[in-house]
Amino acid sequence: YAVCMGIAQDDTLCSCKADAAMTLIDEDFMALVIAAMQGGAVPQDRYRAYNAYVAKSNQICKPDY
């Protein structure tokens, strides 16, 4: 949530993304997502899963996106 707020400054979106993450990914993958949000590279072998998470969380939190 805190990293999202630092980027988007949108409480509704960041709250939704934080809630969605709790149901879509595990703690290890959450660390990868947070690192990516902070500018880190997503490992090539995890990129497909990362894109799937982003797409699903956007579908949940930004349905008109």
Side-chain angles (χ1 to χ4, degrees):
Y1 174 83
V3 175
C4 180
M5 284 297 290
I7 297 167
Q9 299 176 346
D10 182 334
D11 180 61
T12 302
L13 174 64
C14 293
S15 292
C16 181
K17 288 274 193 169
D19 290 343
M22 300 305 285
T23 61
L24 297 174
I25 57 178
D26 64 18
E27 187 175 332
D28 290 336
F29 201 80
M30 192 173 304
L32 181 144
V33 169
I34 291 170
M37 290 173 66
Q38 294 172 324
V42 176
Q44 189 172 15
D45 65 331
R46 309 288 307 266
Y47 199 75
R48 182 174 288 213
Y50 175 77
N51 280 342
Y53 160 73
V54 170
K56 185 65 175 173
S57 66
N58 282 347
Q59 183 181 29
I60 293 167
C61 298
K62 297 173 76 172
D64 296 327
Y65 180 68

